[in-house]
Amino acid sequence: MASYDYIIVGGGLAGLVLAARLTEDSSKRVLVLEAGEDLTADARTSVPAMWPTLLNTDADWQFKTVPQPGFNNRQISFPQGKLLGGSSGLNGLSFTPSSKANVDAWAKLGNPGWDWASFSKSLAKSYTLTTAAGTTAGDGPLQLSFPKDTDNSWPKIWQQTLGGLGFRQSGESYTQQSTGPVTVADSIHPASKTRSYAGNAYLEPARSRENLTIVTGAPVSKIVFAKDGSAVTAEGVQYVKDGETQTATGKEIILTAGAINSPRILEHSGVGDAKLLAKLGVDVVIDNPNVGENLQNHPMAGLSFEAVEDAKTIDGLARQDPAALQAAMAAYAQQLGPFASSGTNNAAQLPFPGIQTAEGKAEVEALIAKYITGANNGGNAAFAEAQAEFVRSILTSPEEASGYYISFSGFASFNPDGTMAAPPPGDEKYFSVALLLTHPLSRGSVHINSASQSPTDLTIDPQYFSHPLDLEILARHLRFVESLASAEPLASHLKAGGKRNPAAQSAGTFSADSGLEKAKEYLRQTTVGAHHFTGTCSMMPKDLGGVVDAQLRLYGCPNLRVADASIIPLTPRANPQATVYGVAEHAASIIKGGL
Ligand SMILES: Cc1cc2nc3c(=O)[nH]c(=O)nc-3n(C[C@H](O)[C@H](O)[C@H](O)COP(=O)(O)OP(=O)(O)OC[C@H]3O[C@@H](n4cnc5c(N)ncnc54)[C@H](O)[C@@H]3O)c2cc1C
């Protein structure tokens, strides 16, 4: 049986960052076990716009929530990458670091060394950013760039419209804080305009190292523990390869299977709530009811508005019009056009609508007083208090964002089950704004419901909108989206009285007196979950709800660490990949003894 210094369970975003960094020391032998396959040579991972073609294939875990009462009992299906590189190989490419306030709040929970000042250094190790002017910042493996197109007027329209409403770009858009319009970088290589991700940027330079072994198509079923009195040591892992169960042993195990699968593997291995595990017939190794709790995700909604006839949008391509497809392919040959970018570069981080006025301040204070109460906070009371304090500080500051707005030159709407909706038939063009609640208070859970491993052995319950303040805040941001559409210069690029996405069309306007209630009902009907799960093996003191300590060691088993999106105790304010790269770089420094 082979033995290693480190066994990395899950060769996804965090797993491959760790594999690359830990094998820099040639004396350390590292094994990576990845359930999915190596698709690094597959065009669906490399051509930026092709990622949706990987959804609902074998490269996707194809998860589904239980019915969500806050979403009128809809079940929301959602993807997670099952391939070398994990979700970084099929994600939407936006690279949006979180705010200083968010990361500092992790440290405040009792995680020394995880404040913004320290964490941002690890984040900076991960990327090289090439600006539109061709200058570079940083020298990390991941390549970031902006679209090269110069004939697109939407970015200016977006910035000028927000500028007219008092929101000017501030701070640095991708390396620190920023409130107002932001130009978001893509994880796309500036030279080739292909996806840059853990599967190539981190893996390629490390792949040929003799001390690195990668096994794909190798789902890990459990961690093997040894018990000596009350001391628990992780000895190795059990995995399946070509239908055969195998075991690998290692001095240290690092779990990086993502926010859904990391707690799943722990529970199948006997680490979790003893009562739940005993009921399912799993032998309990470490009793910690926090495993699988604190599941956080951004609720995401949006509005599409009909654009004027000569607007440049991607609706023709989305309707698979052959001429539009041909034009997009020709443009991609020049490293331009919709295939060469995420299409989500023009965004905004905006505070509570109206916070700049005395009325707005009073409104948010009244909402906080009404809704942040013990009865609503649920779960671990001490954590709920800390989380509420953090969210209160965000909501009451004109410098912090409670809404993340992503503009899109085309129809962008979701089906009731969370999948992307196609544009309605016809030849109308659309401009859309997707809206995310940056820091939801609602928290859910993911737990196994059976000791036997199967695709249905998980109960995933994000509990969207279970905290009533989330809906109240998002509804006010939705109204603000509507008001944006009637502000200049954007208004002149939309058809007066034009169509909207069908659900918005039937809901009517949200700005009238009864609009807030309409907005809430529209959100219950149409909001979906982003693919941004965090928190299920949270890093914080155990009595606050923690699963790992600030060195990322599992409570009760010091040679098992968790080091992926699941350790993030308070979710980042927008798309999380940048933060997960930072977490993995930080973890590598901790493990190598540098921190
Ligand atoms: C469709 C989609 C779009 C997204 N868009 C964006 C975006 O535009 N911007 C952004 O910032 N973020 C985005 N994200 C989120 C981002 O990609 C994730 O937050 C990030 O990849 C999480 O990293 P991770 O290492 O925790 O997990 P992952 O990258 O998901 O890696 C986990 C790995 O573990 C493997 N694994 C799981 N279980 C086992 C097992 N039992 N045995 C062996 N291997 C196992 C998985 O197959 C996977 O490879 C998106 C995510 C998705 C799914």
Side-chain angles (χ1 to χ4, degrees):
M1 190 194 311
S3 187
Y4 297 88
D5 292 287
Y6 301 107
I7 299 179
I8 295 175
V9 177
L13 187 163
L16 293 185
V17 172
L18 278 151
R21 291 302 184 197
L22 296 177
T23 52
E24 285 169 351
D25 177 348
S26 58
S27 72
K28 301 290 184 203
R29 296 188 65 209
V30 177
L31 170 67
V32 177
L33 295 168
E34 166 54 44
E37 300 296 343
D38 181 352
L39 300 183
T40 46
D42 191 313
R44 293 172 299 173
T45 62
S46 60
V47 178
M50 281 192 79
W51 64 268
T53 62
L54 283 167
L55 308 184
N56 285 314
T57 68
D58 286 350
D60 172 8
W61 288 88
Q62 305 180 38
F63 290 121
K64 193 176 206 171
T65 70
V66 294
Q68 295 296 290
F71 286 1
N72 290 350
N73 284 323
R74 285 175 292 129
Q75 282 185 274
I76 307 295
S77 51
F78 64 92
Q80 290 285 284
K82 187 181 186 182
L83 67 159
L84 202 55
S87 301
S88 78
L90 52 62
N91 70 18
L93 306 142
S94 292
F95 192 84
T96 55
S98 198
S99 65
K100 177 179 185 300
N102 175 231
V103 177
D104 282 341
W106 304 354
K108 258 200 192 163
L109 287 169
N111 293 308
W114 287 86
D115 52 289
W116 175 259
S118 316
F119 178 77
S120 56
K121 289 188 193 126
S122 297
L123 171 64
K125 281 186 198 163
S126 70
Y127 64 84
T128 301
L129 177 113
T130 302
T131 65
T135 59
T136 59
D139 62 356
L142 192 74
Q143 299 296 317
L144 306 178
S145 65
F146 297 96
K148 291 205 278 192
D149 303 62
T150 49
D151 63 339
N152 186 352
S153 52
W154 288 112
K156 209 171 250 169
I157 296 167
W158 177 247
Q159 282 163 23
Q160 287 176 348
T161 305
L162 283 159
L165 294 167
F167 297 108
R168 298 193 187 282
Q169 193 136 342
S170 65
E172 290 180 71
S173 56
Y174 39 83
T175 56
Q176 238 222 40
Q177 288 166 280
S178 172
T179 307
V182 290
T183 308
V184 175
D186 291 329
S187 42
I188 294 180
H189 199 294
S192 59
K193 286 290 168 189
T194 53
R195 173 186 293 270
S196 180
Y197 70 116
N200 53 22
Y202 275 91
L203 185 58
E204 284 317 319
R207 216 189 249 269
S208 58
R209 290 178 190 155
E210 281 181 7
N211 55 339
L212 175 62
T213 305
I214 297 176
V215 186
T216 54
V220 170
S221 30
K222 63 177 187 173
I223 293 153
V224 182
F225 293 103
K227 259 189 142 172
D228 183 4
S230 60
V232 177
T233 311
E235 293 199 313
V237 300
Q238 212 176 70
Y239 65 99
V240 179
K241 178 69 186 167
D242 298 330
E244 302 224 335
T245 299
Q246 309 202 17
T247 305
T249 58
K251 290 184 192 147
E252 183 162 345
I253 315 295
I254 305 168
L255 190 51
T256 51
I260 305 297
N261 280 316
S262 284
R264 181 191 209 175
I265 294 169
L266 286 178
E267 290 187 342
H268 277 304
S269 311
V271 180
D273 181 355
K275 284 197 217 91
L276 171 77
L277 299 184
K279 196 174 85 189
L280 298 176
V282 177
D283 289 340
V284 179
V285 179
I286 296 170
D287 177 17
N288 185 345
N290 304 327
V291 174
E293 292 293 309
N294 198 29
L295 178 64
Q296 296 180 26
N297 190 15
H298 299 125
M300 175 168 69
L303 286 173
S304 291
F305 306 92
E306 191 178 348
V308 293
E309 268 146 38
D310 62 353
K312 202 173 158 199
T313 75
I314 67 142
D315 294 296
L317 187 61
R319 291 190 180 105
Q320 303 188 2
D321 168 33
L325 186 60
Q326 213 169 19
M329 284 166 63
Y332 190 51
Q334 309 293 316
Q335 304 192 329
L336 299 169
F339 286 165
S341 82
S342 66
T344 52
N345 307 89
N346 300 296
Q349 294 278 5
L350 297 184
F352 180 83
I355 188 74
Q356 301 83 354
T357 64
E359 249 183 339
K361 270 193 200 108
E363 186 182 19
V364 79
E365 290 294 355
L367 285 169
I368 288 169
K370 182 169 176 193
Y371 291 111
I372 297 192
T373 66
N376 286 333
N377 290 349
N380 182 303
F383 175 77
E385 181 46 43
Q387 185 195 25
E389 189 188 321
F390 166 63
V391 172
R392 193 184 290 128
S393 73
I394 298 292
L395 288 173
T396 52
S397 167
E399 310 300 326
E400 298 290 347
S402 53
Y404 181 54
Y405 296 53
I406 307 169
S407 76
F408 190 71
S409 55
F411 186 82
S413 191
F414 307 100
N415 295 314
D417 70 351
T419 51
M420 286 295 290
D427 54 11
E428 291 91 5
K429 294 174 175 175
Y430 289 89
F431 174 82
S432 305
V433 180
L435 175 63
L436 277 73
L437 184 69
T438 57
H439 295 297
L441 284 160
S442 304
R443 306 193 303 279
S445 62
V446 51
H447 292 295
I448 58 169
N449 54 38
S450 157
S452 61
Q453 310 205 359
S454 77
T456 57
D457 67 0
L458 273 180
T459 301
I460 304 170
D461 183 5
Q463 301 210 13
Y464 296 117
F465 291 160
S466 58
H467 197 294
L469 190 57
D470 289 353
L471 183 61
E472 296 288 341
I473 304 298
L474 200 60
R476 283 160 176 84
H477 279 291
L478 186 76
R479 292 221 293 189
F480 190 72
V481 172
E482 191 174 65
S483 63
L484 269 180
S486 52
E488 290 297 350
L490 182 55
S492 298
H493 295 264
L494 305 178
K495 253 192 187 169
K499 291 185 180 170
R500 295 181 175 201
N501 52 304
Q505 187 86 5
S506 44
T509 175
F510 303 125
S511 51
D513 282 351
S514 60
L516 196 59
E517 288 314 307
K518 275 191 193 164
K520 288 189 218 165
E521 188 43 38
Y522 174 81
L523 289 173
R524 284 188 210 99
Q525 274 175 25
T526 63
T527 307
V528 301
H531 311 314
H532 301 166
F533 293 94
T534 56
T536 49
C537 300
S538 274
M539 168 185 67
M540 55 185 160
K542 198 172 170 194
D543 56 3
L544 276 187
V547 174
V548 296
D549 65 16
Q551 302 289 302
L552 304 178
R553 291 176 300 222
L554 184 80
Y555 288 116
C557 181
N559 75 329
L560 171 55
R561 299 192 209 232
V562 188
D564 56 19
S566 69
I567 67 103
I568 297 172
L570 292 163
T571 210
R573 71 173 180 175
N575 320 54
Q577 70 163 335
T579 307
V580 186
Y581 279 107
V583 163
E585 285 280 7
H586 214 59
S589 298
I590 289 171
I591 295 168
K592 289 165 98 173
L595 277 183

